[in-house]
Amino acid sequence: MKGLYTALMCSFDEKGNVNEKGLREIVRYNIDVQQVDGLYVNGSTGENFLISKEQKKQIFDVVKNEAGDDVKLIAQVGALNLDEAVELAQYVTQLGYNAISAVTPFYYKFDFDEIKDYYNAILDSVDNDLIIYSIPALTGVNMNLEQFGELFENEKVIGVKFTAPDFFLLERIRHAYPDKLIYSGFDEMLLSASVLNVDGAIGSTFNVNGKRAKQIFELAQNGQIEEAREVQKVTNDLIAEILDNGLYPTIKEILKYKDVDAGFCRKPMKSLTQEGVTKAEQIAERHL
Ligand code: NAY
C-alpha cells in the first residue's frame, strides 16, 4: 500500500450529477498519464462532503469498474452519520477496495472517546484495513501522539493520512510507529515529509502533477535531496498559482485543457469566471 495516491477529482455536470464518462477519463488520466500508484476516492478533493450517499456509491462503483486492479484503491467512507460510514465501508469492501479511510468526525467537537468509538464502529463492521484521515485545518480535530497510538492499537488501523504542517508530530509518529503507514497530505510539503521517511503521499494536485510528485518522493528516498528540492520548487511554483486561482476548480480546468472531461464543481463551490478559466489554461501552458 506504499506509494503515491491521487486524491481523485470527480466530474459533475452543471446540475451536480456525477458525469460518469468524465470520471472514467479522470481515472484513466491518473493511471495512464500521471502513473500514480493508487487512487484515494471520495476525499476532500472528490467533494465528498457535498454529495449524497447514493452518489458516493455511484463514484465508488465507477472508479473500481474503470481502474480494475490496475492500481491500489483507498475509499474514504468517513461521514458524520455513522450508519452511513458503516454502510459505505461494507459497500466498498465488497467491491474490492484495498483499504478504507475515514476522516476524523468533525463539527460537534467530539472528545477522544467518541472519536475512538466512531473508528471502532466502522472497523467492527468490516473485514478491511483502515487509514485514519487527519486534516485538522478543515475538521478542527487535533490528535496528539498518544491518541494516534491508542487508535493504532487496533491492528486493522494500518496508518494515517497526515494532512498537517506539524513536522514535530509527524516525526514523533514515524519514530514511535515504524510499522504503520504514514501518507503525507500536503503536496507543497512533500519533500519535507519524505525526508522524515513517510511511506507515501495522497494529494489533489497529483491529478495534474503526479509524475513530478513521484520524482520528489523517489529522489528523497534515494537521498538525492538537492535534485528533489529543485523538483519541489517547480512543483510549488505550480501549486502557488493553482491555490491563488482557486484549488479544485483550477485543477478541473487544467484537466479539461488536457482533454479530460473534468466537468464542474458541486455547489456551493463556485465556478471560475472566464478570467479564471483563462488563468488556469495559462498555468497549464506554463507549468505542465
Ligand atoms: C483529500 O482528501 O482530497 C485530501 O486531503 C488531499 C490532500 C489535499 N488537501 C486538500 C484539503 O485538498 O493535496 C492536498 C492539498 O489540496 C494540496 O496540498 C494543496 O494545498
Side-chain angles (χ1 to χ4, degrees):
M1 295 297 293
K2 295 182 180 186
L4 276 253
Y5 288 68
T6 297
L8 197 70
M9 298 238 109
C10 183
S11 179
F12 297 100
D13 68 20
E14 266 174 297
K15 290 188 174 148
N17 303 307
V18 176
N19 167 1
E20 292 196 6
K21 179 183 150 286
L23 177 56
R24 285 180 189 278
E25 288 181 22
I26 296 175
V27 170
R28 285 262 60 92
Y29 186 74
N30 271 289
I31 298 173
D32 300 336
V33 180
Q34 296 302 333
Q35 296 177 348
V36 291
D37 303 305
L39 304 174
Y40 187 84
V41 186
N42 281 337
S44 309
T45 307
E47 299 167 65
N48 175 74
F49 303 104
L50 304 176
I51 61 177
S52 69
K53 181 178 75 181
E54 294 317 318
Q55 287 179 311
K56 293 176 192 179
K57 286 185 176 176
Q58 184 185 6
I59 293 165
F60 285 135
D61 282 337
V62 171
V63 174
K64 177 63 188 170
N65 182 271
E66 184 62 46
D69 296 323
D70 291 355
V71 293
K72 298 278 189 220
L73 297 176
I74 302 174
Q76 198 296 122
V77 300
L80 280 185
N81 180 332
L82 185 49
D83 295 335
E84 176 174 320
V86 165
E87 185 179 327
L88 291 173
Q90 292 171 340
Y91 190 78
V92 297
T93 300
Q94 270 207 323
L95 278 179
Y97 274 70
N98 301 91
I100 56 173
S101 179
V103 69
T104 51
F106 51 94
Y107 190 81
Y108 289 106
K109 299 194 191 303
F110 300 104
D111 67 25
F112 182 65
D113 287 336
E114 292 169 320
I115 293 173
K116 214 171 143 182
D117 279 353
Y118 162 94
Y119 281 112
N120 285 335
I122 296 172
L123 282 165
D124 289 348
S125 74
V126 284
D127 185 16
N128 206 343
D129 294 327
L130 180 137
I131 293 151
I132 299 162
Y133 179 11
S134 176
I135 180 160
L138 294 186
T139 58
V141 180
N142 280 287
M143 292 193 294
N144 60 33
L145 179 64
E146 290 69 32
Q147 291 170 332
F148 276 108
E150 266 195 61
L151 296 178
F152 285 157
E153 275 171 23
N154 187 329
E155 61 181 33
K156 284 159 85 179
V157 178
I158 57 168
V160 57
K161 165 159 139 58
F162 189 92
T163 308
D166 186 343
F167 289 99
F168 183 24
L169 180 58
L170 177 58
E171 187 279 335
R172 291 290 81 190
I173 297 174
R174 174 72 302 163
H175 176 75
Y177 302 102
D179 298 331
K180 298 291 180 182
L181 295 168
I182 305 178
Y183 300 93
S184 166
F186 274 128
D187 316 350
E188 53 277 42
M189 303 175 200
L190 176 58
L191 172 56
S192 317
S194 301
V195 168
L196 289 177
N197 218 8
V198 294
D199 301 287
I202 298 170
S204 65
T205 61
F206 302 171
N207 280 279
V208 293
N209 193 51
K211 271 190 177 171
R212 272 198 201 114
K214 196 155 189 183
Q215 267 183 301
I216 296 170
F217 184 61
E218 289 177 351
L219 285 167
Q221 282 188 320
N222 289 337
Q224 294 171 267
I225 302 303
E226 200 63 45
E227 292 87 340
R229 206 186 289 146
E230 185 50 38
V231 187
Q232 183 76 69
K233 186 252 165 215
V234 174
T235 289
N236 286 1
D237 289 344
L238 165 71
I239 293 179
E241 291 197 32
I242 290 178
L243 289 173
D244 190 50
N245 200 47
L247 178 60
Y248 301 143
T250 302
I251 296 176
K252 286 195 176 180
E253 287 305 326
I254 294 174
L255 282 168
K256 286 189 219 172
Y257 183 80
K258 299 279 178 188
D259 285 330
V260 178
D261 180 11
F264 298 85
C265 289
R266 287 270 308 181
K267 286 189 170 45
M269 232 175 253
K270 61 176 187 276
S271 300
L272 295 179
T273 59
Q274 190 47 51
E275 196 189 334
V277 172
T278 307
K279 186 109 183 274
E281 290 172 354
Q282 289 167 347
I283 294 171
E285 257 171 57
R286 257 185 292 118
H287 295 286
L288 293 163

